[in-house]
Each structure stands twice: as C-alpha cells, then as structure tokens.
Amino acid sequence: MAFDITRPILLVDDYVTMLRILRNIFVQLKFTSIHEATDGVTALAELRAGDYSLVMSDWNMEPMTGLELLREVRADEKLKQIPFIMVTAESKTENVIVAKKAGVSNYIVKPFNANTLKSKLVSVIGEF
Amino acid sequence: MSGIADQEQLAQQLIDLQKAEPGSVRLEDVSAVVAGIMDAARKEMASSDNEVVAKMIGLADYIESAKREIASLRPDEVKDRHLPAAADELDEIVAETAEATNRIMDATETIQGAVADADEATQETIFNASNQIFEACGFQDITGQRVTKVVKALKDIEEKVDSLISAFGDEIAEYKALNIADEQPTDAPADAPVDFDDISDEMLLQGPQLADEAMLQDEIDRLLNSA
C-alpha cells in the first residue's frame, strides 16, 4: 500500500531557511499536510498532539537536539513507529552510527538536493 | 638519626620498611628513616646552592623577557577590540545572508505562482529551475553553522585572554598589553576506540565538517545499511 501523502508530516529545523527549502520540496512532491517546528521540544509536543506519518529533523538544535528528539520518539509507545529521517550537516562516522543505534530511519547530509531527499523518502516510506 | 651513616644504609632501611608486615613497623623506625632522608637532602642542597641560585636568576630573566614580549602583543586590544569586532562581523554575515536568502526564496515563490496558468512544459521548466534555486539556498544554513563555529572559537579565545589578564594583574596595567592564547589541548587520538553507547550528544555536535573530514552521502548510506 502506497504511502498516503495527504497525512501530516513534521519538518523540524531551527533554520527557517531550511524549513522553507524542505517545505518547497515536499510541495513539489505533492505532500499536502506539511507542518513545521523550529526546535525539538516543540516538535515533540506536536508529535504527541497530532497524528504524524513522518518526521524529518535537523540534529543541531537547542534546547533539545534532533538526536534527543529521536530518542524521545523511539521511547514513546505511541510515536515509536513513525519514520524519522535526520537531515543534518553533521557528517562524521560516529554521528551516523549513534543515530542508527538510536533508531533513525535514514540520514541525509546537508547540503542535499531534491533527488537525494526523494530517494531517501522512498527508501523509508516506499513509493508515493 | 645518628645511626644512619650513609645513603646505602638509608636505602636498605627503606627496603626493610617496605617489606615489613603491616602493623609490625615501629613509629620510631619510620621517623628515623624520614629524618635520614631529610638530612641527605639538606646536604645535597648545600653542595649545589650556587647552581640553584644561577638557575633561579636565569628563570627570573626569562620571565621578565616573556613579560616584555607579551606586553608588546597588546592583548588588551585583542580582547577589547579585535575579538568583539570579528564576532560582530560574523554575526552580521549570518544575518545578511539569511535576509538575502529569504528574498531569493520569496522571489522564487512568486515566479512559481505566476506560471500556474502556463502550459505544462513551461510549468515544469520553471518548477525545475526554481527547485534548484531553493536547493542552492541551503548554503545559508551551512554557512550559518560554520560561522557559528568560528564565533564560538573566538569566545573561547576571549576567555583564555581574560584568564591571562587576571593572572598577570598589575603587570597588565603596567605594560598595557597582554597575552598568548594557549592552544586547545588535543582530544583523544583519532584511532582510539570509541564507545558509541557512552558518547555524549555534546561531543557529537561539531557542526559541518571540513571537506576532508566529512562523509559523503554514499558512505553514510553504506554505513547505515551495514550489519
């Protein structure tokens, strides 16, 4: 069954510029319910209050980092199955391994392009 | 003390004490050995007094010379003027690039909206081009993070300069100048084993890596897909 692109997704980044870039790409991909948060704490509250089908988050944020958000999501019975893609400039080996151990669904290093983002989306949620 | 005649005898007494059963050592024996060590040290000092004094004088000269060199660097200017100015400039770069990037994206969205009634081929061309503009605007996020790293490094330097100013106290006022920022101590060797369960978030957050340190997306994919 194809992923339902009308279901809400959450984009998390403390750089508004990056949120706009991500939003634009998702609009081009025909996603219709795109929500945004500029920090991990807000994102977690959003996730707990809503019915999200995907999280795409930056790592380097304050006060809650993307990794902490990921761990919170994976530790939450209601949220733990949500696909979580890290989009970050942190590109060191240890970062990827730690994110993987924390349960990240995929990892996109910045800067990226729309094709990379789409291919990672497909690998996580399937064709849409 | 008088029973200890030379250093060999003293050394033997020390060895005997080390080998003695716990609780069997008498306090007066320990006291005699300590007194013997102190006596030997005093004799050694007396025979090398001249050498010690010469070294002290050399050290004092070296310190005076170092103070003059430090003063000539005018570290007060570094702390009060150069470092804040550099940080301000970098903050401004971030703000200006963010503003410019948002203007670029505003204009691009306007273009996207204006072609809604155009034929399909034109729309596709415009959307593909505008997508590339949006992707390119990602530079602002990356450069912003890099600049933030530089600002943080400047603040670290400023703190070290402050510490040196405090340490020199009156000397700074006298010479109207200051210091040399110590180099950061190096972390553990690069090839040291890493415990990924014990590595802190703070240690991981290093911001964008330099080109020769960064992993490529393909490498990340391979790592993620590995067993």
Side-chain angles (χ1 to χ4, degrees):
Chain A
M1 188 172 133
F3 184 84
D4 182 1
I5 58 176
T6 66
R7 288 187 59 199
I9 65 169
L10 185 62
L11 310 178
V12 192
D13 202 305
D14 55 352
Y15 272 76
V16 176
T17 306
M18 186 50 63
L19 285 176
R20 284 186 73 173
I21 293 167
L22 287 170
R23 171 179 281 278
N24 185 271
I25 293 172
F26 276 98
V27 167
Q28 302 302 315
L29 295 173
K30 311 295 184 195
F31 282 71
T32 58
S33 184
I34 305 162
H35 298 252
E36 299 172 359
T38 54
D39 65 83
V41 174
T42 308
L44 189 59
E46 274 283 313
L47 288 166
R48 286 176 172 153
D51 181 27
Y52 288 92
S53 59
L54 174 72
V55 180
M56 185 161 284
S57 177
D58 183 30
W59 186 326
N60 197 346
M61 299 181 294
E62 292 180 345
M64 179 187 282
T65 68
L67 181 65
E68 289 167 340
L69 175 63
L70 170 61
R71 286 175 172 152
E72 290 284 346
V73 167
R74 291 294 178 250
D76 188 304
E77 199 58 35
K78 181 192 164 201
L79 306 177
K80 67 182 182 184
Q81 298 299 331
I82 298 177
F84 192 115
I85 300 176
M86 196 75 85
V87 187
T88 177
E90 306 290 343
S91 57
K92 289 161 77 176
T93 303
E94 51 263 44
N95 288 73
V96 181
I97 292 173
V98 169
K100 183 180 178 183
K101 287 169 78 78
V104 77
S105 306
N106 215 312
Y107 195 107
I108 300 174
V109 64
K110 295 175 181 175
F112 59 90
N113 59 40
N115 286 336
T116 299
L117 190 147
K118 186 177 180 184
S119 72
K120 301 306 169 197
L121 268 180
V122 169
S123 74
V124 171
I125 63 177
E127 292 292 341
F128 52 87
Chain B
M1 185 63 223
S2 59
I4 303 173
D6 54 33
Q7 291 188 8
E8 280 185 15
Q9 187 181 353
L10 181 61
Q12 187 55 53
Q13 283 182 290
L14 269 174
I15 293 168
D16 292 343
L17 283 176
Q18 287 172 335
K19 288 179 178 174
E21 290 292 325
S24 67
V25 177
R26 295 185 310 155
L27 187 60
E28 50 266 38
D29 290 339
V30 176
S31 177
V33 170
V34 171
I37 291 170
M38 291 179 68
D39 189 46
R42 256 187 239 110
K43 286 175 182 170
E44 183 69 22
M45 180 66 82
S47 68
S48 59
D49 270 355
N50 290 339
E51 188 182 349
V52 170
V53 169
K55 284 183 178 176
M56 296 282 277
I57 290 171
L59 187 58
D61 288 344
Y62 180 81
I63 291 171
E64 278 305 312
S65 172
K67 283 178 181 174
R68 283 194 296 274
E69 287 182 25
I70 288 168
S72 69
L73 292 174
R74 296 302 311 271
D76 54 330
E77 282 191 355
V78 173
K79 178 186 178 294
D80 295 336
R81 203 170 70 187
H82 299 312
L83 289 177
D88 288 347
E89 291 287 342
L90 292 169
D91 285 342
E92 194 65 17
I93 288 171
V94 174
E96 288 182 358
T97 55
E99 187 183 339
T101 305
N102 279 319
R103 286 206 305 272
I104 291 168
M105 291 194 291
D106 287 343
T108 307
E109 284 177 352
T110 301
I111 292 170
Q112 287 178 330
V115 297
D117 296 330
D119 62 79
E120 197 170 317
T122 303
Q123 280 193 32
E124 187 177 345
T125 301
I126 297 294
F127 276 116
N128 286 340
S130 61
N131 273 347
Q132 289 180 42
I133 294 173
F134 269 94
E135 288 167 13
C137 285
F139 86 93
Q140 198 272 326
D141 174 79
I142 300 295
T143 52
Q145 291 189 55
R146 289 196 190 282
V147 170
T148 300
K149 287 171 72 174
V150 175
V151 171
K152 186 175 179 301
L154 288 176
K155 285 178 179 166
D156 288 345
I157 292 169
E158 189 175 346
E159 284 174 13
K160 289 181 186 303
V161 171
D162 254 344
S163 299
L164 284 170
I165 290 172
S166 299
F168 274 78
D170 293 343
E171 296 296 333
I172 294 298
E174 184 179 343
Y175 289 103
K176 195 70 181 171
L178 59 85
N179 75 359
I180 302 164
D182 291 338
E183 287 186 15
Q184 293 276 4
T186 55
D187 293 324
D191 57 352
V194 178
D195 181 357
F196 292 108
D197 291 320
D198 197 34
I199 190 165
S200 72
D201 207 2
E202 188 179 356
M203 289 170 67
L204 291 165
L205 289 174
Q206 301 296 317
Q209 274 67 57
L210 296 174
D212 60 348
E213 296 171 345
M215 289 181 80
L216 300 175
Q217 182 67 53
D218 286 346
E219 294 170 323
I220 289 171
D221 291 347
R222 276 197 293 278
L223 190 55
L224 275 176
N225 295 326
S226 62

